[in-house]
Amino acid sequence: MGKSILIVTIGLSIIIGLFILKLNANSKEGLSVTVHQFESTQARLIANSGIETYLEKMRRNKTLSGSFSDQPLFGGKYSINISGPDSNLVIRSIGEFDGVVHESVVKATRSPVQLPSVYGAIYVSSTNLSLNFNGNMAIDGNDTNPGGSEGSGTSLPGITVDSQDDSAYIVNTLRSKISKEIQGAGGTPSVSTVDDSLDWNEVTQNLIFAADITVPSGTYTAPMTFGTTASPKITYVTGDVTLSGTCDGDGIMIINGNLNMAGQFTYRGIIIVYGNSTIDTKIAGNGGIYGSTILVGSSVNIQSTGNSAFYYSTQAIKNAQSNLKSSRFKITSWWE
């Protein structure tokens, strides 16, 4: 009897010991799985965060491409490779945490810049328009290439406004002055109306989001250049500005304030002057705008004492449309 009890006791002890060993093994295996899952999750987060980081960098630096290795993050690191044209960008990110590696690949396209509608050499949207034209300023809606040669595009009015009252006011104001210089579609003087429904605040904000150059209010003279024909730029001016000397530029310029043009300032593309109050535009020089000039405000006052010229130019506008880059992306696929 005593031997039987001893044998049973020893047997139970062995079984319990084996059971405990099995539990310990399972516990260690479970811990190992948990640790690996944590490391894998961290590596995945690092890889995906690397892509988000470089998408933001690409928004600010529109020519960013190539490889960028061993970027530290979250106690690990990641490496990025950016390749392909704007229409088929590939951003590859390899995240690493404690020896565990995760790869994420994103394909994206850079959205095109949305240019505003163009209605003429000059477009004015205002409930209170005031003109004071002196000098020999020329306004021409006939398509003109930068440099002065005749363009092949369809002509637009020299000046376009929102209401018949504004149109009549311009014609009457200019009749005894420089009406012969307001040329373009629709007769002489070439002044027309348009039913515009654009939200100009939204238009300008979208362009400002993609700005390549941001400058404060002030006076800018030579050798300031706001983009070139080969590399036009989106320029945002945060307040009142005087552009003089031989300053020039290409692309789109958005001015949140008053514009004073002097000297030989020349621009190829679209200039938008906007604000919630009075917009004063003073032209005292001999420069020119090839493309279109847009003035939007509750009150717009245009004063001219110089020989500047405003030409509608499809070539200048198309060059801006073709070469400007936005800061927005469309993700077409995300693979992990």
Side-chain angles (χ1 to χ4, degrees), residues 2 6 47 57 111 123 125 134-135 157 159 169 189 191 194 222-223 227-228 246-247 263 265 281 305 320 324 328 333:
L6 180 60
K57 289 185 177 183
S111 301
Y123 168 63
S125 178
N134 295 290
I159 298 179
Y169 166 72
V191 181
V194 66
T228 64
T246 55
C247 284
F265 174 71
T281 302
T305 58
L324 289 175
R328 300 186 185 278
S333 68

mmCIF file with all atom_site columns, all heavy atoms in Angstrom, residues 2 6 47 57 111 123 125 134-135 157 159 169 189 191 194 222-223 227-228 246-247 263 265 281 305 320 324 328 333:
data_model
loop_
_atom_site.group_PDB
_atom_site.id
_atom_site.type_symbol
_atom_site.label_atom_id
_atom_site.label_alt_id
_atom_site.label_comp_id
_atom_site.label_asym_id
_atom_site.label_entity_id
_atom_site.label_seq_id
_atom_site.pdbx_PDB_ins_code
_atom_site.Cartn_x
_atom_site.Cartn_y
_atom_site.Cartn_z
_atom_site.occupancy
_atom_site.B_iso_or_equiv
_atom_site.pdbx_formal_charge
_atom_site.auth_seq_id
_atom_site.auth_comp_id
_atom_site.auth_asym_id
_atom_site.auth_atom_id
_atom_site.pdbx_PDB_model_num
ATOM 1   N N   . GLY A 1 2   ? 1.843   1.266   0.858   1.00 0.00 ? 2   GLY A N   1
ATOM 2   C CA  . GLY A 1 2   ? 2.728   2.424   0.951   1.00 0.00 ? 2   GLY A CA  1
ATOM 3   C C   . GLY A 1 2   ? 3.516   2.638   -0.313  1.00 0.00 ? 2   GLY A C   1
ATOM 4   O O   . GLY A 1 2   ? 3.724   3.756   -0.771  1.00 0.00 ? 2   GLY A O   1
ATOM 5   N N   . LEU A 1 6   ? 3.500   5.831   -2.934  1.00 0.00 ? 6   LEU A N   1
ATOM 6   C CA  . LEU A 1 6   ? 4.750   6.486   -3.331  1.00 0.00 ? 6   LEU A CA  1
ATOM 7   C C   . LEU A 1 6   ? 4.854   6.574   -4.844  1.00 0.00 ? 6   LEU A C   1
ATOM 8   O O   . LEU A 1 6   ? 5.251   7.602   -5.401  1.00 0.00 ? 6   LEU A O   1
ATOM 9   C CB  . LEU A 1 6   ? 5.936   5.701   -2.741  1.00 0.00 ? 6   LEU A CB  1
ATOM 10  C CG  . LEU A 1 6   ? 7.330   6.275   -3.064  1.00 0.00 ? 6   LEU A CG  1
ATOM 11  C CD1 . LEU A 1 6   ? 7.467   7.683   -2.521  1.00 0.00 ? 6   LEU A CD1 1
ATOM 12  C CD2 . LEU A 1 6   ? 8.413   5.350   -2.473  1.00 0.00 ? 6   LEU A CD2 1
ATOM 13  N N   . ALA A 1 47  ? 8.454   53.067  -41.193 1.00 0.00 ? 47  ALA A N   1
ATOM 14  C CA  . ALA A 1 47  ? 8.444   53.118  -42.658 1.00 0.00 ? 47  ALA A CA  1
ATOM 15  C C   . ALA A 1 47  ? 7.351   54.052  -43.162 1.00 0.00 ? 47  ALA A C   1
ATOM 16  O O   . ALA A 1 47  ? 7.585   54.894  -44.044 1.00 0.00 ? 47  ALA A O   1
ATOM 17  C CB  . ALA A 1 47  ? 8.254   51.715  -43.232 1.00 0.00 ? 47  ALA A CB  1
ATOM 18  N N   . LYS A 1 57  ? 8.022   67.033  -47.287 1.00 0.00 ? 57  LYS A N   1
ATOM 19  C CA  . LYS A 1 57  ? 9.209   67.683  -47.830 1.00 0.00 ? 57  LYS A CA  1
ATOM 20  C C   . LYS A 1 57  ? 9.060   67.929  -49.328 1.00 0.00 ? 57  LYS A C   1
ATOM 21  O O   . LYS A 1 57  ? 9.488   68.955  -49.846 1.00 0.00 ? 57  LYS A O   1
ATOM 22  C CB  . LYS A 1 57  ? 10.445  66.829  -47.551 1.00 0.00 ? 57  LYS A CB  1
ATOM 23  C CG  . LYS A 1 57  ? 10.876  66.797  -46.091 1.00 0.00 ? 57  LYS A CG  1
ATOM 24  C CD  . LYS A 1 57  ? 12.175  66.031  -45.915 1.00 0.00 ? 57  LYS A CD  1
ATOM 25  C CE  . LYS A 1 57  ? 12.627  66.073  -44.462 1.00 0.00 ? 57  LYS A CE  1
ATOM 26  N NZ  . LYS A 1 57  ? 13.943  65.393  -44.272 1.00 0.00 ? 57  LYS A NZ  1
ATOM 27  N N   . SER A 1 111 ? -0.633  66.738  -58.278 1.00 0.00 ? 111 SER A N   1
ATOM 28  C CA  . SER A 1 111 ? -1.771  67.385  -58.928 1.00 0.00 ? 111 SER A CA  1
ATOM 29  C C   . SER A 1 111 ? -1.309  68.628  -59.674 1.00 0.00 ? 111 SER A C   1
ATOM 30  O O   . SER A 1 111 ? -0.404  69.333  -59.223 1.00 0.00 ? 111 SER A O   1
ATOM 31  C CB  . SER A 1 111 ? -2.833  67.767  -57.893 1.00 0.00 ? 111 SER A CB  1
ATOM 32  O OG  . SER A 1 111 ? -3.283  66.629  -57.192 1.00 0.00 ? 111 SER A OG  1
ATOM 33  N N   . TYR A 1 123 ? -8.588  92.051  -65.736 1.00 0.00 ? 123 TYR A N   1
ATOM 34  C CA  . TYR A 1 123 ? -9.929  91.739  -65.219 1.00 0.00 ? 123 TYR A CA  1
ATOM 35  C C   . TYR A 1 123 ? -10.074 92.383  -63.855 1.00 0.00 ? 123 TYR A C   1
ATOM 36  O O   . TYR A 1 123 ? -9.199  92.250  -62.988 1.00 0.00 ? 123 TYR A O   1
ATOM 37  C CB  . TYR A 1 123 ? -10.148 90.237  -65.108 1.00 0.00 ? 123 TYR A CB  1
ATOM 38  C CG  . TYR A 1 123 ? -11.384 89.876  -64.323 1.00 0.00 ? 123 TYR A CG  1
ATOM 39  C CD1 . TYR A 1 123 ? -12.658 90.242  -64.768 1.00 0.00 ? 123 TYR A CD1 1
ATOM 40  C CD2 . TYR A 1 123 ? -11.293 89.179  -63.116 1.00 0.00 ? 123 TYR A CD2 1
ATOM 41  C CE1 . TYR A 1 123 ? -13.788 89.926  -64.038 1.00 0.00 ? 123 TYR A CE1 1
ATOM 42  C CE2 . TYR A 1 123 ? -12.415 88.855  -62.385 1.00 0.00 ? 123 TYR A CE2 1
ATOM 43  C CZ  . TYR A 1 123 ? -13.661 89.233  -62.850 1.00 0.00 ? 123 TYR A CZ  1
ATOM 44  O OH  . TYR A 1 123 ? -14.787 88.925  -62.114 1.00 0.00 ? 123 TYR A OH  1
ATOM 45  N N   . SER A 1 125 ? -12.701 92.782  -60.561 1.00 0.00 ? 125 SER A N   1
ATOM 46  C CA  . SER A 1 125 ? -13.898 92.353  -59.846 1.00 0.00 ? 125 SER A CA  1
ATOM 47  C C   . SER A 1 125 ? -14.030 93.195  -58.593 1.00 0.00 ? 125 SER A C   1
ATOM 48  O O   . SER A 1 125 ? -13.261 93.039  -57.641 1.00 0.00 ? 125 SER A O   1
ATOM 49  C CB  . SER A 1 125 ? -13.808 90.871  -59.469 1.00 0.00 ? 125 SER A CB  1
ATOM 50  O OG  . SER A 1 125 ? -14.956 90.461  -58.742 1.00 0.00 ? 125 SER A OG  1
ATOM 51  N N   . ASN A 1 134 ? -3.518  108.562 -66.652 1.00 0.00 ? 134 ASN A N   1
ATOM 52  C CA  . ASN A 1 134 ? -2.762  109.613 -67.328 1.00 0.00 ? 134 ASN A CA  1
ATOM 53  C C   . ASN A 1 134 ? -1.517  108.957 -67.925 1.00 0.00 ? 134 ASN A C   1
ATOM 54  O O   . ASN A 1 134 ? -1.041  107.941 -67.436 1.00 0.00 ? 134 ASN A O   1
ATOM 55  C CB  . ASN A 1 134 ? -2.361  110.720 -66.347 1.00 0.00 ? 134 ASN A CB  1
ATOM 56  C CG  . ASN A 1 134 ? -3.577  111.457 -65.796 1.00 0.00 ? 134 ASN A CG  1
ATOM 57  O OD1 . ASN A 1 134 ? -4.235  112.201 -66.520 1.00 0.00 ? 134 ASN A OD1 1
ATOM 58  N ND2 . ASN A 1 134 ? -3.874  111.232 -64.531 1.00 0.00 ? 134 ASN A ND2 1
ATOM 59  N N   . GLY A 1 135 ? -0.988  109.542 -68.941 1.00 0.00 ? 135 GLY A N   1
ATOM 60  C CA  . GLY A 1 135 ? 0.154   108.920 -69.582 1.00 0.00 ? 135 GLY A CA  1
ATOM 61  C C   . GLY A 1 135 ? -0.273  108.110 -70.787 1.00 0.00 ? 135 GLY A C   1
ATOM 62  O O   . GLY A 1 135 ? -1.338  108.314 -71.359 1.00 0.00 ? 135 GLY A O   1
ATOM 63  N N   . PRO A 1 157 ? -10.963 90.558  -74.579 1.00 0.00 ? 157 PRO A N   1
ATOM 64  C CA  . PRO A 1 157 ? -11.095 92.006  -74.362 1.00 0.00 ? 157 PRO A CA  1
ATOM 65  C C   . PRO A 1 157 ? -9.865  92.588  -73.666 1.00 0.00 ? 157 PRO A C   1
ATOM 66  O O   . PRO A 1 157 ? -9.141  91.883  -72.949 1.00 0.00 ? 157 PRO A O   1
ATOM 67  C CB  . PRO A 1 157 ? -12.340 92.108  -73.478 1.00 0.00 ? 157 PRO A CB  1
ATOM 68  C CG  . PRO A 1 157 ? -13.109 90.858  -73.753 1.00 0.00 ? 157 PRO A CG  1
ATOM 69  C CD  . PRO A 1 157 ? -12.075 89.801  -73.987 1.00 0.00 ? 157 PRO A CD  1
ATOM 70  N N   . ILE A 1 159 ? -10.077 95.049  -71.305 1.00 0.00 ? 159 ILE A N   1
ATOM 71  C CA  . ILE A 1 159 ? -10.502 95.096  -69.900 1.00 0.00 ? 159 ILE A CA  1
ATOM 72  C C   . ILE A 1 159 ? -11.833 94.368  -69.779 1.00 0.00 ? 159 ILE A C   1
ATOM 73  O O   . ILE A 1 159 ? -12.753 94.579  -70.586 1.00 0.00 ? 159 ILE A O   1
ATOM 74  C CB  . ILE A 1 159 ? -10.664 96.538  -69.395 1.00 0.00 ? 159 ILE A CB  1
ATOM 75  C CG1 . ILE A 1 159 ? -9.334  97.296  -69.448 1.00 0.00 ? 159 ILE A CG1 1
ATOM 76  C CG2 . ILE A 1 159 ? -11.198 96.550  -67.959 1.00 0.00 ? 159 ILE A CG2 1
ATOM 77  C CD1 . ILE A 1 159 ? -9.424  98.734  -68.978 1.00 0.00 ? 159 ILE A CD1 1
ATOM 78  N N   . TYR A 1 169 ? -18.716 102.980 -67.185 1.00 0.00 ? 169 TYR A N   1
ATOM 79  C CA  . TYR A 1 169 ? -17.865 103.926 -66.465 1.00 0.00 ? 169 TYR A CA  1
ATOM 80  C C   . TYR A 1 169 ? -16.481 103.986 -67.095 1.00 0.00 ? 169 TYR A C   1
ATOM 81  O O   . TYR A 1 169 ? -15.914 105.068 -67.309 1.00 0.00 ? 169 TYR A O   1
ATOM 82  C CB  . TYR A 1 169 ? -17.765 103.515 -64.994 1.00 0.00 ? 169 TYR A CB  1
ATOM 83  C CG  . TYR A 1 169 ? -16.659 104.217 -64.240 1.00 0.00 ? 169 TYR A CG  1
ATOM 84  C CD1 . TYR A 1 169 ? -16.755 105.564 -63.907 1.00 0.00 ? 169 TYR A CD1 1
ATOM 85  C CD2 . TYR A 1 169 ? -15.510 103.531 -63.872 1.00 0.00 ? 169 TYR A CD2 1
ATOM 86  C CE1 . TYR A 1 169 ? -15.722 106.211 -63.230 1.00 0.00 ? 169 TYR A CE1 1
ATOM 87  C CE2 . TYR A 1 169 ? -14.480 104.156 -63.192 1.00 0.00 ? 169 TYR A CE2 1
ATOM 88  C CZ  . TYR A 1 169 ? -14.599 105.501 -62.871 1.00 0.00 ? 169 TYR A CZ  1
ATOM 89  O OH  . TYR A 1 169 ? -13.577 106.138 -62.208 1.00 0.00 ? 169 TYR A OH  1
ATOM 90  N N   . PRO A 1 189 ? -13.331 101.354 -77.460 1.00 0.00 ? 189 PRO A N   1
ATOM 91  C CA  . PRO A 1 189 ? -12.377 100.648 -76.603 1.00 0.00 ? 189 PRO A CA  1
ATOM 92  C C   . PRO A 1 189 ? -12.858 99.235  -76.304 1.00 0.00 ? 189 PRO A C   1
ATOM 93  O O   . PRO A 1 189 ? -14.057 98.973  -76.265 1.00 0.00 ? 189 PRO A O   1
ATOM 94  C CB  . PRO A 1 189 ? -12.340 101.499 -75.336 1.00 0.00 ? 189 PRO A CB  1
ATOM 95  C CG  . PRO A 1 189 ? -13.689 102.130 -75.275 1.00 0.00 ? 189 PRO A CG  1
ATOM 96  C CD  . PRO A 1 189 ? -14.069 102.395 -76.708 1.00 0.00 ? 189 PRO A CD  1
ATOM 97  N N   . VAL A 1 191 ? -13.767 96.898  -74.042 1.00 0.00 ? 191 VAL A N   1
ATOM 98  C CA  . VAL A 1 191 ? -14.198 96.721  -72.646 1.00 0.00 ? 191 VAL A CA  1
ATOM 99  C C   . VAL A 1 191 ? -15.414 95.809  -72.657 1.00 0.00 ? 191 VAL A C   1
ATOM 100 O O   . VAL A 1 191 ? -16.355 96.022  -73.419 1.00 0.00 ? 191 VAL A O   1
ATOM 101 C CB  . VAL A 1 191 ? -14.546 98.065  -71.981 1.00 0.00 ? 191 VAL A CB  1
ATOM 102 C CG1 . VAL A 1 191 ? -14.961 97.850  -70.534 1.00 0.00 ? 191 VAL A CG1 1
ATOM 103 C CG2 . VAL A 1 191 ? -13.366 99.024  -72.065 1.00 0.00 ? 191 VAL A CG2 1
ATOM 104 N N   . VAL A 1 194 ? -18.359 90.114  -67.836 1.00 0.00 ? 194 VAL A N   1
ATOM 105 C CA  . VAL A 1 194 ? -18.384 88.660  -67.718 1.00 0.00 ? 194 VAL A CA  1
ATOM 106 C C   . VAL A 1 194 ? -19.135 88.285  -66.452 1.00 0.00 ? 194 VAL A C   1
ATOM 107 O O   . VAL A 1 194 ? -19.091 89.016  -65.448 1.00 0.00 ? 194 VAL A O   1
ATOM 108 C CB  . VAL A 1 194 ? -16.947 88.077  -67.688 1.00 0.00 ? 194 VAL A CB  1
ATOM 109 C CG1 . VAL A 1 194 ? -16.202 88.523  -66.427 1.00 0.00 ? 194 VAL A CG1 1
ATOM 110 C CG2 . VAL A 1 194 ? -16.969 86.561  -67.781 1.00 0.00 ? 194 VAL A CG2 1
ATOM 111 N N   . ALA A 1 222 ? 15.947  95.779  -58.721 1.00 0.00 ? 222 ALA A N   1
ATOM 112 C CA  . ALA A 1 222 ? 16.910  94.854  -59.326 1.00 0.00 ? 222 ALA A CA  1
ATOM 113 C C   . ALA A 1 222 ? 17.951  94.456  -58.283 1.00 0.00 ? 222 ALA A C   1
ATOM 114 O O   . ALA A 1 222 ? 18.303  95.256  -57.417 1.00 0.00 ? 222 ALA A O   1
ATOM 115 C CB  . ALA A 1 222 ? 17.569  95.528  -60.520 1.00 0.00 ? 222 ALA A CB  1
ATOM 116 N N   . PRO A 1 223 ? 18.439  93.227  -58.312 1.00 0.00 ? 223 PRO A N   1
ATOM 117 C CA  . PRO A 1 223 ? 18.221  92.208  -59.338 1.00 0.00 ? 223 PRO A CA  1
ATOM 118 C C   . PRO A 1 223 ? 17.180  91.161  -58.940 1.00 0.00 ? 223 PRO A C   1
ATOM 119 O O   . PRO A 1 223 ? 17.396  89.967  -59.186 1.00 0.00 ? 223 PRO A O   1
ATOM 120 C CB  . PRO A 1 223 ? 19.603  91.581  -59.469 1.00 0.00 ? 223 PRO A CB  1
ATOM 121 C CG  . PRO A 1 223 ? 20.133  91.606  -58.051 1.00 0.00 ? 223 PRO A CG  1
ATOM 122 C CD  . PRO A 1 223 ? 19.552  92.837  -57.412 1.00 0.00 ? 223 PRO A CD  1
ATOM 123 N N   . GLY A 1 227 ? 11.044  84.022  -60.658 1.00 0.00 ? 227 GLY A N   1
ATOM 124 C CA  . GLY A 1 227 ? 10.855  82.986  -61.656 1.00 0.00 ? 227 GLY A CA  1
ATOM 125 C C   . GLY A 1 227 ? 11.407  83.399  -63.004 1.00 0.00 ? 227 GLY A C   1
ATOM 126 O O   . GLY A 1 227 ? 11.574  84.585  -63.304 1.00 0.00 ? 227 GLY A O   1
ATOM 127 N N   . THR A 1 228 ? 11.713  82.394  -63.831 1.00 0.00 ? 228 THR A N   1
ATOM 128 C CA  . THR A 1 228 ? 12.207  82.622  -65.182 1.00 0.00 ? 228 THR A CA  1
ATOM 129 C C   . THR A 1 228 ? 11.329  81.866  -66.171 1.00 0.00 ? 228 THR A C   1
ATOM 130 O O   . THR A 1 228 ? 10.512  81.028  -65.776 1.00 0.00 ? 228 THR A O   1
ATOM 131 C CB  . THR A 1 228 ? 13.658  82.142  -65.336 1.00 0.00 ? 228 THR A CB  1
ATOM 132 O OG1 . THR A 1 228 ? 13.699  80.719  -65.139 1.00 0.00 ? 228 THR A OG1 1
ATOM 133 C CG2 . THR A 1 228 ? 14.569  82.819  -64.317 1.00 0.00 ? 228 THR A CG2 1
ATOM 134 N N   . THR A 1 246 ? 14.586  96.985  -62.637 1.00 0.00 ? 246 THR A N   1
ATOM 135 C CA  . THR A 1 246 ? 14.461  96.007  -63.712 1.00 0.00 ? 246 THR A CA  1
ATOM 136 C C   . THR A 1 246 ? 14.045  94.646  -63.166 1.00 0.00 ? 246 THR A C   1
ATOM 137 O O   . THR A 1 246 ? 14.400  93.604  -63.715 1.00 0.00 ? 246 THR A O   1
ATOM 138 C CB  . THR A 1 246 ? 15.792  95.875  -64.478 1.00 0.00 ? 246 THR A CB  1
ATOM 139 O OG1 . THR A 1 246 ? 16.839  95.554  -63.547 1.00 0.00 ? 246 THR A OG1 1
ATOM 140 C CG2 . THR A 1 246 ? 16.130  97.156  -65.208 1.00 0.00 ? 246 THR A CG2 1
ATOM 141 N N   . CYS A 1 247 ? 13.301  94.635  -62.078 1.00 0.00 ? 247 CYS A N   1
ATOM 142 C CA  . CYS A 1 247 ? 12.753  93.381  -61.559 1.00 0.00 ? 247 CYS A CA  1
ATOM 143 C C   . CYS A 1 247 ? 11.912  92.704  -62.633 1.00 0.00 ? 247 CYS A C   1
ATOM 144 O O   . CYS A 1 247 ? 11.264  93.379  -63.438 1.00 0.00 ? 247 CYS A O   1
ATOM 145 C CB  . CYS A 1 247 ? 11.868  93.636  -60.338 1.00 0.00 ? 247 CYS A CB  1
ATOM 146 S SG  . CYS A 1 247 ? 12.750  93.998  -58.824 1.00 0.00 ? 247 CYS A SG  1
ATOM 147 N N   . GLY A 1 263 ? 9.496   101.843 -62.789 1.00 0.00 ? 263 GLY A N   1
ATOM 148 C CA  . GLY A 1 263 ? 10.683  101.428 -63.522 1.00 0.00 ? 263 GLY A CA  1
ATOM 149 C C   . GLY A 1 263 ? 10.349  100.534 -64.697 1.00 0.00 ? 263 GLY A C   1
ATOM 150 O O   . GLY A 1 263 ? 9.368   100.735 -65.403 1.00 0.00 ? 263 GLY A O   1
ATOM 151 N N   . PHE A 1 265 ? 9.760   97.132  -64.516 1.00 0.00 ? 265 PHE A N   1
ATOM 152 C CA  . PHE A 1 265 ? 9.268   95.841  -64.050 1.00 0.00 ? 265 PHE A CA  1
ATOM 153 C C   . PHE A 1 265 ? 8.463   95.139  -65.139 1.00 0.00 ? 265 PHE A C   1
ATOM 154 O O   . PHE A 1 265 ? 7.528   95.700  -65.707 1.00 0.00 ? 265 PHE A O   1
ATOM 155 C CB  . PHE A 1 265 ? 8.399   96.010  -62.801 1.00 0.00 ? 265 PHE A CB  1
ATOM 156 C CG  . PHE A 1 265 ? 7.752   94.723  -62.353 1.00 0.00 ? 265 PHE A CG  1
ATOM 157 C CD1 . PHE A 1 265 ? 8.519   93.720  -61.778 1.00 0.00 ? 265 PHE A CD1 1
ATOM 158 C CD2 . PHE A 1 265 ? 6.391   94.507  -62.524 1.00 0.00 ? 265 PHE A CD2 1
ATOM 159 C CE1 . PHE A 1 265 ? 7.939   92.522  -61.374 1.00 0.00 ? 265 PHE A CE1 1
ATOM 160 C CE2 . PHE A 1 265 ? 5.801   93.319  -62.118 1.00 0.00 ? 265 PHE A CE2 1
ATOM 161 C CZ  . PHE A 1 265 ? 6.581   92.329  -61.537 1.00 0.00 ? 265 PHE A CZ  1
ATOM 162 N N   . THR A 1 281 ? -3.734  100.233 -57.245 1.00 0.00 ? 281 THR A N   1
ATOM 163 C CA  . THR A 1 281 ? -2.731  99.788  -58.205 1.00 0.00 ? 281 THR A CA  1
ATOM 164 C C   . THR A 1 281 ? -2.182  101.017 -58.924 1.00 0.00 ? 281 THR A C   1
ATOM 165 O O   . THR A 1 281 ? -2.908  101.691 -59.655 1.00 0.00 ? 281 THR A O   1
ATOM 166 C CB  . THR A 1 281 ? -3.340  98.804  -59.221 1.00 0.00 ? 281 THR A CB  1
ATOM 167 O OG1 . THR A 1 281 ? -3.882  97.685  -58.513 1.00 0.00 ? 281 THR A OG1 1
ATOM 168 C CG2 . THR A 1 281 ? -2.290  98.313  -60.199 1.00 0.00 ? 281 THR A CG2 1
ATOM 169 N N   . THR A 1 305 ? 0.377   106.775 -64.439 1.00 0.00 ? 305 THR A N   1
ATOM 170 C CA  . THR A 1 305 ? 1.057   107.984 -64.896 1.00 0.00 ? 305 THR A CA  1
ATOM 171 C C   . THR A 1 305 ? 2.240   107.639 -65.785 1.00 0.00 ? 305 THR A C   1
ATOM 172 O O   . THR A 1 305 ? 3.036   108.501 -66.124 1.00 0.00 ? 305 THR A O   1
ATOM 173 C CB  . THR A 1 305 ? 1.559   108.809 -63.695 1.00 0.00 ? 305 THR A CB  1
ATOM 174 O OG1 . THR A 1 305 ? 2.437   107.990 -62.899 1.00 0.00 ? 305 THR A OG1 1
ATOM 175 C CG2 . THR A 1 305 ? 0.404   109.278 -62.831 1.00 0.00 ? 305 THR A CG2 1
ATOM 176 N N   . ALA A 1 320 ? 3.324   79.021  -67.912 1.00 0.00 ? 320 ALA A N   1
ATOM 177 C CA  . ALA A 1 320 ? 3.102   78.877  -66.469 1.00 0.00 ? 320 ALA A CA  1
ATOM 178 C C   . ALA A 1 320 ? 2.350   77.584  -66.171 1.00 0.00 ? 320 ALA A C   1
ATOM 179 O O   . ALA A 1 320 ? 2.724   76.822  -65.273 1.00 0.00 ? 320 ALA A O   1
ATOM 180 C CB  . ALA A 1 320 ? 2.327   80.083  -65.942 1.00 0.00 ? 320 ALA A CB  1
ATOM 181 N N   . LEU A 1 324 ? 4.635   75.096  -63.917 1.00 0.00 ? 324 LEU A N   1
ATOM 182 C CA  . LEU A 1 324 ? 4.436   75.269  -62.480 1.00 0.00 ? 324 LEU A CA  1
ATOM 183 C C   . LEU A 1 324 ? 4.037   73.948  -61.836 1.00 0.00 ? 324 LEU A C   1
ATOM 184 O O   . LEU A 1 324 ? 3.350   73.127  -62.445 1.00 0.00 ? 324 LEU A O   1
ATOM 185 C CB  . LEU A 1 324 ? 3.357   76.318  -62.217 1.00 0.00 ? 324 LEU A CB  1
ATOM 186 C CG  . LEU A 1 324 ? 3.730   77.774  -62.517 1.00 0.00 ? 324 LEU A CG  1
ATOM 187 C CD1 . LEU A 1 324 ? 2.512   78.676  -62.327 1.00 0.00 ? 324 LEU A CD1 1
ATOM 188 C CD2 . LEU A 1 324 ? 4.873   78.239  -61.636 1.00 0.00 ? 324 LEU A CD2 1
ATOM 189 N N   . ARG A 1 328 ? 0.168   69.608  -53.976 1.00 0.00 ? 328 ARG A N   1
ATOM 190 C CA  . ARG A 1 328 ? -0.819  68.582  -53.611 1.00 0.00 ? 328 ARG A CA  1
ATOM 191 C C   . ARG A 1 328 ? -0.532  67.286  -54.366 1.00 0.00 ? 328 ARG A C   1
ATOM 192 O O   . ARG A 1 328 ? -0.137  67.301  -55.526 1.00 0.00 ? 328 ARG A O   1
ATOM 193 C CB  . ARG A 1 328 ? -2.239  69.077  -53.896 1.00 0.00 ? 328 ARG A CB  1
ATOM 194 C CG  . ARG A 1 328 ? -2.590  70.337  -53.121 1.00 0.00 ? 328 ARG A CG  1
ATOM 195 C CD  . ARG A 1 328 ? -4.053  70.723  -53.307 1.00 0.00 ? 328 ARG A CD  1
ATOM 196 N NE  . ARG A 1 328 ? -4.353  71.985  -52.667 1.00 0.00 ? 328 ARG A NE  1
ATOM 197 C CZ  . ARG A 1 328 ? -4.616  72.151  -51.380 1.00 0.00 ? 328 ARG A CZ  1
ATOM 198 N NH1 . ARG A 1 328 ? -4.608  71.094  -50.574 1.00 0.00 ? 328 ARG A NH1 1
ATOM 199 N NH2 . ARG A 1 328 ? -4.885  73.343  -50.876 1.00 0.00 ? 328 ARG A NH2 1
ATOM 200 N N   . SER A 1 333 ? -1.660  54.341  -54.983 1.00 0.00 ? 333 SER A N   1
ATOM 201 C CA  . SER A 1 333 ? -1.573  53.017  -54.335 1.00 0.00 ? 333 SER A CA  1
ATOM 202 C C   . SER A 1 333 ? -0.633  53.101  -53.144 1.00 0.00 ? 333 SER A C   1
ATOM 203 O O   . SER A 1 333 ? 0.296   53.922  -53.119 1.00 0.00 ? 333 SER A O   1
ATOM 204 C CB  . SER A 1 333 ? -1.095  51.948  -55.317 1.00 0.00 ? 333 SER A CB  1
ATOM 205 O OG  . SER A 1 333 ? 0.249   52.165  -55.699 1.00 0.00 ? 333 SER A OG  1
#
